[in-house]
Amino acid sequence: MSSTPHTGPGVAPLGNVAMCLSTLRRAITRPAHLPGIVVFYGPSGYGKSTAATVATIHCDAVYVQARSSWTRKAAHQAILKGLGVLPAKTVAEMSDQIAEELALSKRPLIVDEVDYLVERGTIEIIRDLYEASQAPVMLIGEEGLPGKLKRWERFHGRVLDWAPAQPASLEDCKSLAELHAVKVRIADDLLAQVHDVAGGSVRRICVNIARIEEQAQVEGRDVMDLASWGSRELYTGEAPSRRRNA
Amino acid sequence: MSQAPARHCSPAGVLTDRERLWAAMRELRVFTIRDLCRAVNTGKDRDAAISDSKAKDYLVGLVRAGIVDKGLAVRFEPTRFELINDTGVRAPRVRKDGTMLPESGRNRMWKAMQILGEFSTRELMHAASIPGAPVAYSEAKSYCGWLARGGYLVQSGERFRFIRARFTGSKAPQILRVKQLFDPNTDKVVYACDPEGRDDL
C-alpha cells in the first residue's frame, strides 16, 4: 500500500482518506481482465465515512448506505435514488436499470455498512450489479467483513483489493488539529497525549481537539500545551469509572 | 458505437432545459435541431418552450466534447446530429468549448452531507472541495443555514446533523431569489417574478 497521499488541495491529508481514494482509483483504472470490487474495512471511529466522502466526491461515485431493514427491493430503490433514475416496478427491472446506468455513466458504486447485506444474505445483489455492469464497486464495512465475505466464495474471487483502515497516526492527529482547531494552537506534547488516549480513533481525536479548543477559549489562551492542560481529563471513549470517595 | 438502445432509465425529479434536451437526444439518437425542439416542446405551455438557440448552444458544447456527432453539411438540408457517447441519464455538464464542468458545489455538498451524517461547516467545506473547484466557507455556511431552515439538517452549536429521512433524491435543493413588487400603501404584493437562481446549466 503506497502511503503517499496523492490527494488534491482541500482534502484532509489523513492516511485513511488517501488509502480509500487510491484503492477506489485502482478499481477504476484496473486492466479489463482484473476484477473490479474493492473492500475497505475497519473498526468504527477510524474515519471511514470521511474517507468514503472524499472518495465519492473525487471520483463522482454513487454512494449508498445499507440498512438493517433493506430488502432486495429497498436496496435497488436506494441505489436508483442515488443515481437519480426513476425506479421501475420489479426488482429485475430495477437491477437492469442500475446496471445500464452504471455501465453508461462509468461511475463507481460505493456501498457502506455492507455488513447488513452480508448478514441478511443479500450481498449477491451487489455481485449481480457488478457482473452486469462491470462498474468499479467499493464495499465498506466493519473489521470482520473479510471473514464474513469468505462464505460467499463467488464473491471472494472478484475482489481486487482488500484495504484495511489504519489507526490514526500522530501525523493524522496533527492534520486534524490544523483542520479543526482554528482558534487555538495545540502544542505537540498535548497532541501526542491526545493521540495516545485515542487508540487510533479519529472520532476521539476530534472530540478531544474540540474540548481543548473550548477550554482554551474559556481561559483566553492562544496556545494550549500539556503543562497548561494539566491533569484535566481527555475523552477516551470509555464509560466513566465509579467515583472514589476522597 | 450506436448500439441498439435498451431504454430503461428516465431521470427523476423536475428537469432543467438542458436535462430535457438531453433526455430527448437519448430518445431520438439521430436528430436535427428542429426534431429536438419539437420533441422537447410537446404539450408545454409557450413560456416553458426551449428555443432553437438554447438547443444549439448546448449542442455546440456536446459536439466539441465528442458526445454528439455533427453530420456533414448538405446543401438545403438541416444538419443531422447523432448521439455517439451516451453517458447515462445525467445531462453532461459541458461548457461551450467542450470541456466538462465538475458537479456543482452545492451538489457536492448535498452528497457529502448524507455520507458524513454529522459535520461542522468547515468539515463539509473540505469534504466537498475538489481540485480546481473548491467550495468557499461562506457558501457552505449559508447553504447549511438554508437546509437547516428547511428541516434537512438539525443544528446544534457549530455542528449539523443530516436527517436521513429527508434525503429526497440525488439533486441538491436550490436557493432561489424571488423578486416581488410590494405596495406598502395597500399592503399587497402587486407583481411577482418567477423565482431566479435555479441550477439551470
Side-chain angles (χ1 to χ4, degrees):
Chain A
M1 180 65 46
S2 72
S3 59
T4 39
H6 43 92
T7 50
V11 177
L14 303 177
N16 284 334
V17 171
M19 178 192 269
C20 183
L21 195 54
S22 63
T23 306
L24 183 59
R25 285 200 173 134
R26 209 168 310 142
I28 295 170
T29 57
R30 73 189 191 276
H33 63 279
L34 290 180
I37 298 180
V38 288
V39 181
F40 182 57
Y41 62 98
S44 89
Y46 270 31
K48 292 199 301 287
S49 306
T50 311
T53 312
V54 172
T56 306
I57 300 294
H58 280 239
C59 301
D60 190 22
V62 184
Y63 172 94
V64 282
Q65 194 172 45
R67 301 202 204 146
S68 62
S69 62
W70 262 20
T71 57
R72 295 174 64 81
K73 188 172 181 180
H76 285 91
Q77 282 172 333
I79 297 173
L80 283 170
K81 200 172 181 181
L83 280 166
V85 173
L86 225 46
K89 289 219 168 63
T90 67
V91 171
E93 283 171 321
M94 286 193 273
S95 185
D96 285 347
Q97 283 185 311
I98 297 169
E100 180 191 295
E101 183 59 23
L102 286 177
L104 286 177
S105 64
K106 300 189 176 66
R107 294 170 77 187
L109 174 68
I110 298 182
V111 187
D112 202 350
E113 315 266 12
V114 180
D115 302 73
Y116 288 128
L117 294 184
V118 181
E119 276 152 29
R120 262 182 160 252
T122 44
I123 188 74
E124 295 277 346
I125 296 172
I126 306 297
R127 195 183 62 87
D128 286 347
L129 292 177
Y130 165 71
E131 288 294 327
S133 66
Q134 293 294 314
V137 176
M138 175 177 253
L139 306 179
I140 302 177
E142 294 292 315
E143 249 175 318
L145 184 62
K148 288 188 212 161
L149 279 175
K150 257 191 194 124
R151 277 177 51 214
W152 276 269
E153 214 167 279
R154 285 190 293 176
F155 209 102
H156 221 250
R158 285 171 178 80
V159 175
L160 174 70
D161 205 350
W162 304 85
Q166 300 298 312
S169 65
L170 190 56
E171 287 303 307
D172 289 347
C173 194
K174 282 178 186 164
S175 327
L176 286 166
E178 256 167 53
L179 190 64
H180 294 296
V182 276
K183 292 166 195 144
V184 64
R185 205 176 68 76
I186 303 175
D188 283 355
D189 54 355
L190 183 54
L191 271 183
Q193 178 81 7
V194 167
H195 175 249
D196 281 348
V197 300
S201 159
V202 172
R203 190 180 298 155
R204 280 178 219 156
I205 292 175
C206 290
V207 169
N208 280 324
I209 288 173
R211 195 176 277 188
I212 292 168
E213 189 181 44
E214 191 187 309
Q215 290 285 323
Q217 279 192 294
V218 169
E219 295 168 21
R221 288 176 198 271
D222 292 332
V223 182
M224 186 69 104
D225 56 14
L226 194 54
S228 47
W229 182 253
S231 61
R232 276 174 282 192
E233 274 191 34
L234 287 168
Y235 173 75
T236 57
E238 279 152 27
S241 56
R242 209 179 118 192
R243 193 178 294 170
R244 292 197 196 90
N245 289 326
Chain B
M1 269 252 298
S2 58
Q3 66 274 49
R7 285 278 64 79
H8 289 119
C9 300
S10 40
V14 176
L15 303 188
T16 64
D17 287 355
R18 285 196 164 195
E19 285 169 330
R20 278 163 60 197
L21 288 167
W22 177 248
M25 284 181 228
R26 297 185 76 210
E27 204 69 49
L28 296 168
R29 299 272 143 179
V30 179
F31 50 87
T32 63
I33 289 183
R34 197 107 188 254
D35 296 338
L36 194 60
C37 287
R38 200 178 297 144
V40 166
N41 293 333
T42 48
K44 295 276 179 206
D45 54 314
R46 277 274 170 85
D47 292 344
I50 298 173
S51 63
D52 283 16
S53 68
K54 203 158 194 179
K56 221 177 274 174
D57 273 355
Y58 191 31
L59 272 170
V60 166
L62 290 175
V63 168
R64 287 187 179 147
I67 294 168
V68 169
D69 185 49
K70 186 178 179 181
L72 289 172
V74 181
R75 240 178 142 191
F76 308 123
E77 293 261 326
T79 317
R80 297 177 79 80
F81 295 89
E82 186 184 352
L83 180 61
I84 51 168
N85 182 14
D86 187 351
T87 55
V89 290
R90 275 200 314 182
R93 285 164 55 83
V94 288
R95 296 189 189 87
K96 219 172 168 182
D97 64 3
T99 51
M100 302 298 282
L101 272 164
E103 248 195 303
S104 74
R106 274 197 204 139
N107 257 328
R108 279 180 273 135
M109 280 194 274
W110 175 244
K111 230 161 136 183
M113 61 179 74
Q114 49 143 331
I115 310 175
L116 290 172
E118 204 256 334
F119 53 89
S120 70
T121 312
R122 198 163 292 278
E123 280 165 30
L124 184 70
M125 173 188 86
H126 284 288
S129 292
I130 52 173
V135 171
Y137 178 75
S138 56
E139 166 72 8
K141 195 176 168 190
S142 82
Y143 193 52
C144 286
W146 274 101
L147 288 185
R149 270 170 260 173
Y152 295 91
L153 301 175
V154 171
Q155 184 170 13
S156 60
E158 302 239 306
R159 299 187 75 78
F160 294 92
R161 185 177 284 279
F162 187 74
I163 308 294
R164 277 199 211 288
R166 292 300 305 274
F167 178 63
T168 44
S170 61
K171 290 174 185 168
Q174 302 164 4
I175 303 161
L176 305 183
R177 293 180 297 278
V178 182
K179 270 192 191 160
Q180 294 182 329
L181 183 66
F182 171 69
D183 185 345
N185 302 306
T186 54
D187 188 18
K188 270 196 183 116
V189 173
V190 186
Y191 178 80
C193 286
D194 280 340
E196 292 168 32
R198 268 169 66 151
D199 215 355
D200 213 13
L201 199 62

